[in-house]
């Protein structure tokens, strides 16, 4: 069982920045990916960015590539998402998750989510 708690969401002006954090506990996950997903009202939950816990390989959705940076602190079991040049289309609830791949169906451990709202 993995327990995940997100923090750092809020209201920001377009072009601004936010950093999201996710604290993980409960079990090891060194051979898994930790990823960020987001879900806007009326939309499907979509992959944003992921990082392999062991090795640090990363992958980003095209919509955020070059603007967002995912990182992890293995010693503290924390996951971060630095979000720069934010756009109104980035408005969503952001979730951290543990699993494999870029599909939400590959993940079965989820946090409660944190709201990110970007004003135009």
């Amino acid at each position: 069982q993995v327990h995940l708690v997100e923090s750092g969401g809020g209201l920001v002006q377009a072009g601004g920045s936010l950093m999201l954090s996710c604290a993980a506990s409960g079990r090891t996950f060194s051979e898994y990916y930790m990823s960020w997903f987001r879900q806007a009202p009326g939309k499907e939950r979509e992959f944003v960015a992921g990082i392999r816990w062991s090795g640090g390989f990363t992958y980003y959705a095209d919509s955020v590539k070059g603007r967002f940076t995912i990182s992890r602190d293995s010693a503290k079991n924390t996951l971060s998402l630095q979000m720069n040049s934010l756009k109104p289309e980035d408005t969503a609830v952001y979730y951290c998750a543990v699993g494999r791949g870029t599909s939400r169906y590959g993940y079965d451990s989820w946090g409660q989510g944190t709201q990110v709202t970007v004003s135009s």
Side-chain angles (χ1 to χ4, degrees):
Q1 180 67 43
V2 178
H3 302 275
L4 304 169
V5 180
E6 303 96 336
S7 62
L11 175 65
V12 65
Q13 191 176 52
S17 299
L18 283 174
M19 177 177 282
L20 306 183
S21 297
C22 175
S25 62
R27 59 161 290 174
T28 60
F29 39 84
S30 61
E31 297 184 10
Y32 292 81
Y33 276 77
M34 288 192 70
S35 297
W36 291 97
F37 287 77
R38 67 187 182 188
Q39 188 165 22
K43 303 290 186 179
E44 297 290 331
R45 189 169 299 188
E46 65 177 359
F47 175 83
V48 177
I51 185 167
R52 186 178 179 182
W53 200 256
S54 178
F57 297 105
T58 60
Y59 185 77
Y60 297 90
D62 288 343
S63 59
V64 307
K65 192 175 298 181
R67 299 188 296 120
F68 293 7
T69 302
I70 189 170
S71 62
R72 88 278 195 240
D73 186 330
S74 297
K76 297 180 179 179
N77 282 352
T78 57
L79 178 75
S80 298
L81 184 69
Q82 178 63 50
M83 309 165 66
N84 298 326
S85 301
L86 283 161
K87 306 173 181 179
E89 66 191 65
D90 295 317
T91 296
V93 177
Y94 284 71
Y95 301 88
C96 62
V98 176
R100 294 185 175 95
T102 59
S103 169
R104 64 186 176 93
Y105 300 109
Y107 295 76
D108 57 9
S109 297
W110 298 87
Q112 295 299 309
T114 185
Q115 176 71 48
V116 172
T117 303
V118 184
S119 62
S120 60

